[in-house]
């Protein structure tokens, strides 16, 4: 069964509070999403393997650790996931980035895939799928289905805010996927929005309606 980690560091909680507020405009919203993604990247990479190398400091020679070159892929679910990519890349600059384009049909709430482009070695990479919102979970479920169909085997999912319904769907459909969240909210409303949530993440990031 996949693990669910709530990354509730005080810095993350503080920024999430500002992200949620109606009066937070596009520029601040975008900057805050980027910052929270960066902070979460720190936690999500905690289990990356390291290798000991020998280095010279100005004083002496010593053994010290470097990342052992594990291949990482960051996979934003378009559009809103794009807002989290740079924050993660700041900490893992050698990661490759794949894109899954999905939108949720406003009537049926079913995800519709319109684009996918992955690094050609995804079966060798640990993939971090990023999307600020996990509502019904349908978009993340379908995105992960697509990645697995293309050979991916090691996948983590990182979202800012999740509804219980979305968490349950991912646990049921992708029990091998660990889930990293900044907050778990109460429920979905009749339009499939997370309550209390933050509204439409894509619209708030990019100033659309
Ligand atoms: O868990 P779900 O019920 O599938 O809902 C979550 C999805 O909805 C939002 O995307 P949206 O469809 O608004 O597309 P956008 O990012 O282009 O705005 C969000 O970024 C997720 O991808
Ligand atoms: O609350 C929600 C639900 C789905 N997508 C969003 O952007 N926000
Ligand atoms: Mg949207």
């Amino acid at each position: 069964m996949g693990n669910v980690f709530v990354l509730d560091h005080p810095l993350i909680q503080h920024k999430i509070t500002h992200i949620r507020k109606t009066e937070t405009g596009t520029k601040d919203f975008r900057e805050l999403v980027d910052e929270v993604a960066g902070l979460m990247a720190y936690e999500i990479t905690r289990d990356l393997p390291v290798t000991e190398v020998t280095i010279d400091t100005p004083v002496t020679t010593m053994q010290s650790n470097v990342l052992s070159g594990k291949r990482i892929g960051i996979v934003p679910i378009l559009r809103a996931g794009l807002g989290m990519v740079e924050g993660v890349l700041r900490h893992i600059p050698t990661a490759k980035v794949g894109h899954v384009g999905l939108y949720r049909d406003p009537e049926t709430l079913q995800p519709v895939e319109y684009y996918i482009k992955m690094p050609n070695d995804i079966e060798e990479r640990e993939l971090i799928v990023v999307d600020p919102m996990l509502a019904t979970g349908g978009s993340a479920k379908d995105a992960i289905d697509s990645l697995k169909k293309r050979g991916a085997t090691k996948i983590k999912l990182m979202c800012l805010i999740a509804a219980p319904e979305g968490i349950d769907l991912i646990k049921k459909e992708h029990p091998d996927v660990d889930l990293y969240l900044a907050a778990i909210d109460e429920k979905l409303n009749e339009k499939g929005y997370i309550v209390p949530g933050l509204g439409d993440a894509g619209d708030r990031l990019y100033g659309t309606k």
Side-chain angles (χ1 to χ4, degrees), residues 21-51:
K21 286 158 76 177
T22 310
E23 66 263 34
T24 300
T26 300
K27 174 179 178 290
D28 289 339
F29 188 92
R30 205 182 293 137
E31 286 173 5
L32 287 161
V33 168
D34 170 79
E35 287 169 18
V36 172
L39 292 168
M40 292 179 79
Y42 185 79
E43 272 304 317
I44 203 170
T45 52
R46 182 172 283 283
D47 60 354
L48 283 183
V50 291
T51 310

Short mmCIF file of all heavy atoms in Angstrom, two decimals, residues 21-51:
data_model
loop_
_atom_site.label_atom_id
_atom_site.label_comp_id
_atom_site.label_asym_id
_atom_site.label_seq_id
_atom_site.Cartn_x
_atom_site.Cartn_y
_atom_site.Cartn_z
N LYS A 21 -5.52 32.07 0.20
CA LYS A 21 -6.31 33.29 0.37
C LYS A 21 -6.78 33.87 -0.97
O LYS A 21 -5.99 34.01 -1.89
CB LYS A 21 -5.49 34.34 1.12
CG LYS A 21 -5.35 34.04 2.59
CD LYS A 21 -4.18 34.69 3.23
CE LYS A 21 -4.33 36.14 3.51
NZ LYS A 21 -3.12 36.68 4.21
N THR A 22 -8.05 34.25 -1.02
CA THR A 22 -8.63 34.81 -2.24
C THR A 22 -7.84 36.02 -2.72
O THR A 22 -7.67 36.22 -3.93
CB THR A 22 -10.09 35.27 -1.97
OG1 THR A 22 -10.78 34.20 -1.33
CG2 THR A 22 -10.80 35.65 -3.24
N GLU A 23 -7.37 36.84 -1.77
CA GLU A 23 -6.74 38.09 -2.18
C GLU A 23 -5.30 37.91 -2.71
O GLU A 23 -4.70 38.87 -3.18
CB GLU A 23 -6.77 39.13 -1.05
CG GLU A 23 -5.94 38.77 0.18
CD GLU A 23 -6.80 38.13 1.28
OE1 GLU A 23 -7.75 37.40 0.95
OE2 GLU A 23 -6.48 38.35 2.46
N THR A 24 -4.76 36.71 -2.63
CA THR A 24 -3.41 36.48 -3.17
C THR A 24 -3.48 36.50 -4.70
O THR A 24 -4.18 35.69 -5.31
CB THR A 24 -2.84 35.13 -2.66
OG1 THR A 24 -2.79 35.19 -1.23
CG2 THR A 24 -1.45 34.86 -3.22
N GLY A 25 -2.78 37.45 -5.30
CA GLY A 25 -2.83 37.63 -6.75
C GLY A 25 -1.92 36.65 -7.48
O GLY A 25 -1.17 35.89 -6.87
N THR A 26 -2.00 36.72 -8.81
CA THR A 26 -1.30 35.74 -9.66
C THR A 26 0.21 35.69 -9.39
O THR A 26 0.79 34.62 -9.27
CB THR A 26 -1.54 36.10 -11.14
OG1 THR A 26 -2.94 36.04 -11.36
CG2 THR A 26 -0.86 35.13 -12.08
N LYS A 27 0.84 36.85 -9.28
CA LYS A 27 2.30 36.88 -9.11
C LYS A 27 2.69 36.19 -7.80
O LYS A 27 3.57 35.32 -7.79
CB LYS A 27 2.79 38.33 -9.12
CG LYS A 27 4.25 38.48 -8.81
CD LYS A 27 4.66 39.95 -8.87
CE LYS A 27 6.13 40.12 -8.51
NZ LYS A 27 6.39 39.88 -7.10
N ASP A 28 2.04 36.57 -6.70
CA ASP A 28 2.38 35.97 -5.41
C ASP A 28 1.99 34.49 -5.37
O ASP A 28 2.72 33.66 -4.81
CB ASP A 28 1.67 36.72 -4.27
CG ASP A 28 2.27 38.10 -4.06
OD1 ASP A 28 3.41 38.32 -4.48
OD2 ASP A 28 1.57 38.96 -3.49
N PHE A 29 0.86 34.17 -5.98
CA PHE A 29 0.41 32.77 -6.00
C PHE A 29 1.47 31.91 -6.69
O PHE A 29 1.88 30.86 -6.17
CB PHE A 29 -0.93 32.68 -6.75
CG PHE A 29 -1.59 31.33 -6.68
CD1 PHE A 29 -2.50 31.03 -5.68
CD2 PHE A 29 -1.30 30.35 -7.63
CE1 PHE A 29 -3.12 29.78 -5.61
CE2 PHE A 29 -1.91 29.11 -7.57
CZ PHE A 29 -2.82 28.82 -6.57
N ARG A 30 1.93 32.38 -7.85
CA ARG A 30 2.93 31.63 -8.62
C ARG A 30 4.23 31.47 -7.82
O ARG A 30 4.82 30.38 -7.78
CB ARG A 30 3.20 32.37 -9.93
CG ARG A 30 3.70 31.49 -11.03
CD ARG A 30 4.00 32.29 -12.27
NE ARG A 30 2.82 32.85 -12.89
CZ ARG A 30 2.72 34.10 -13.38
NH1 ARG A 30 3.74 34.94 -13.30
NH2 ARG A 30 1.62 34.50 -13.96
N GLU A 31 4.66 32.55 -7.18
CA GLU A 31 5.91 32.48 -6.41
C GLU A 31 5.78 31.53 -5.22
O GLU A 31 6.69 30.76 -4.93
CB GLU A 31 6.28 33.89 -5.91
CG GLU A 31 6.81 34.76 -7.03
CD GLU A 31 7.05 36.21 -6.60
OE1 GLU A 31 6.90 36.53 -5.39
OE2 GLU A 31 7.37 37.02 -7.47
N LEU A 32 4.62 31.57 -4.57
CA LEU A 32 4.42 30.71 -3.40
C LEU A 32 4.34 29.23 -3.79
O LEU A 32 4.90 28.37 -3.10
CB LEU A 32 3.14 31.13 -2.65
CG LEU A 32 3.26 32.44 -1.86
CD1 LEU A 32 1.89 33.01 -1.54
CD2 LEU A 32 4.06 32.22 -0.57
N VAL A 33 3.67 28.94 -4.89
CA VAL A 33 3.59 27.54 -5.36
C VAL A 33 5.00 27.03 -5.66
O VAL A 33 5.39 25.92 -5.28
CB VAL A 33 2.67 27.42 -6.59
CG1 VAL A 33 2.81 26.05 -7.26
CG2 VAL A 33 1.21 27.66 -6.19
N ASP A 34 5.78 27.88 -6.31
CA ASP A 34 7.17 27.53 -6.63
C ASP A 34 7.97 27.27 -5.35
O ASP A 34 8.71 26.29 -5.25
CB ASP A 34 7.77 28.71 -7.43
CG ASP A 34 9.25 28.58 -7.63
OD1 ASP A 34 9.64 27.81 -8.52
OD2 ASP A 34 10.02 29.23 -6.88
N GLU A 35 7.79 28.12 -4.35
CA GLU A 35 8.55 27.97 -3.10
C GLU A 35 8.14 26.71 -2.35
O GLU A 35 8.99 25.97 -1.84
CB GLU A 35 8.33 29.19 -2.19
CG GLU A 35 9.05 30.43 -2.70
CD GLU A 35 8.63 31.69 -1.95
OE1 GLU A 35 8.06 31.57 -0.84
OE2 GLU A 35 8.85 32.78 -2.48
N VAL A 36 6.84 26.44 -2.29
CA VAL A 36 6.39 25.24 -1.57
C VAL A 36 6.88 23.99 -2.29
O VAL A 36 7.34 23.03 -1.66
CB VAL A 36 4.85 25.22 -1.41
CG1 VAL A 36 4.38 23.89 -0.84
CG2 VAL A 36 4.40 26.36 -0.51
N ALA A 37 6.83 24.00 -3.62
CA ALA A 37 7.33 22.84 -4.38
C ALA A 37 8.80 22.60 -4.05
O ALA A 37 9.23 21.45 -3.90
CB ALA A 37 7.12 23.06 -5.88
N GLY A 38 9.57 23.67 -3.92
CA GLY A 38 10.99 23.54 -3.59
C GLY A 38 11.17 22.93 -2.21
O GLY A 38 12.00 22.03 -2.02
N LEU A 39 10.39 23.40 -1.26
CA LEU A 39 10.50 22.85 0.11
C LEU A 39 10.08 21.38 0.14
O LEU A 39 10.70 20.56 0.83
CB LEU A 39 9.62 23.66 1.08
CG LEU A 39 10.08 25.11 1.34
CD1 LEU A 39 8.99 25.89 2.06
CD2 LEU A 39 11.36 25.11 2.16
N MET A 40 9.05 21.05 -0.62
CA MET A 40 8.60 19.65 -0.64
C MET A 40 9.63 18.76 -1.32
O MET A 40 9.79 17.59 -0.95
CB MET A 40 7.24 19.55 -1.34
CG MET A 40 6.12 20.21 -0.55
SD MET A 40 4.52 20.11 -1.38
CE MET A 40 4.02 18.42 -1.00
N ALA A 41 10.32 19.32 -2.31
CA ALA A 41 11.35 18.53 -3.03
C ALA A 41 12.42 18.06 -2.07
O ALA A 41 12.97 16.96 -2.20
CB ALA A 41 11.97 19.36 -4.14
N TYR A 42 12.70 18.88 -1.09
CA TYR A 42 13.71 18.56 -0.08
C TYR A 42 13.32 17.26 0.65
O TYR A 42 14.15 16.38 0.89
CB TYR A 42 13.77 19.75 0.87
CG TYR A 42 14.83 19.69 1.92
CD1 TYR A 42 16.15 20.00 1.62
CD2 TYR A 42 14.50 19.35 3.23
CE1 TYR A 42 17.12 19.95 2.60
CE2 TYR A 42 15.45 19.31 4.21
CZ TYR A 42 16.76 19.61 3.89
OH TYR A 42 17.71 19.55 4.87
N GLU A 43 12.04 17.14 0.99
CA GLU A 43 11.56 15.96 1.71
C GLU A 43 11.42 14.74 0.79
O GLU A 43 11.75 13.63 1.17
CB GLU A 43 10.19 16.24 2.33
CG GLU A 43 10.25 16.85 3.70
CD GLU A 43 11.05 16.01 4.69
OE1 GLU A 43 10.90 14.79 4.72
OE2 GLU A 43 11.84 16.60 5.45
N ILE A 44 10.93 14.99 -0.42
CA ILE A 44 10.62 13.87 -1.30
C ILE A 44 11.89 13.17 -1.77
O ILE A 44 11.87 12.01 -2.17
CB ILE A 44 9.74 14.35 -2.48
CG1 ILE A 44 8.93 13.22 -3.09
CG2 ILE A 44 10.52 15.05 -3.54
CD1 ILE A 44 7.88 13.67 -4.08
N THR A 45 13.01 13.88 -1.69
CA THR A 45 14.29 13.29 -2.14
C THR A 45 15.11 12.75 -0.97
O THR A 45 16.27 12.38 -1.14
CB THR A 45 15.13 14.37 -2.88
OG1 THR A 45 15.21 15.53 -2.04
CG2 THR A 45 14.50 14.75 -4.20
N ARG A 46 14.47 12.67 0.20
CA ARG A 46 15.20 12.25 1.40
C ARG A 46 15.83 10.86 1.25
O ARG A 46 16.87 10.57 1.85
CB ARG A 46 14.22 12.26 2.58
CG ARG A 46 14.80 11.90 3.90
CD ARG A 46 13.79 12.11 5.00
NE ARG A 46 13.65 13.51 5.35
CZ ARG A 46 14.51 14.19 6.09
NH1 ARG A 46 15.59 13.60 6.55
NH2 ARG A 46 14.30 15.45 6.39
N ASP A 47 15.21 9.99 0.43
CA ASP A 47 15.72 8.62 0.32
C ASP A 47 16.65 8.42 -0.88
O ASP A 47 16.98 7.30 -1.24
CB ASP A 47 14.55 7.62 0.24
CG ASP A 47 13.65 7.88 -0.96
OD1 ASP A 47 13.85 8.90 -1.66
OD2 ASP A 47 12.73 7.07 -1.20
N LEU A 48 17.09 9.51 -1.52
CA LEU A 48 18.01 9.35 -2.66
C LEU A 48 19.32 8.73 -2.17
O LEU A 48 19.87 9.15 -1.15
CB LEU A 48 18.31 10.70 -3.32
CG LEU A 48 17.24 11.28 -4.23
CD1 LEU A 48 17.75 12.59 -4.85
CD2 LEU A 48 16.86 10.31 -5.32
N PRO A 49 19.83 7.77 -2.93
CA PRO A 49 21.08 7.14 -2.49
C PRO A 49 22.29 8.05 -2.69
O PRO A 49 22.33 8.85 -3.63
CB PRO A 49 21.19 5.91 -3.39
CG PRO A 49 20.32 6.18 -4.56
CD PRO A 49 19.28 7.16 -4.14
N VAL A 50 23.26 7.92 -1.79
CA VAL A 50 24.51 8.69 -1.91
C VAL A 50 25.69 7.74 -1.97
O VAL A 50 25.60 6.59 -1.54
CB VAL A 50 24.68 9.68 -0.73
CG1 VAL A 50 23.67 10.81 -0.80
CG2 VAL A 50 24.60 8.97 0.61
N THR A 51 26.77 8.22 -2.55
CA THR A 51 28.00 7.43 -2.67
C THR A 51 29.12 8.24 -2.05
O THR A 51 29.18 9.46 -2.21
CB THR A 51 28.37 7.26 -4.17
OG1 THR A 51 27.22 6.81 -4.86
CG2 THR A 51 29.52 6.31 -4.37
#
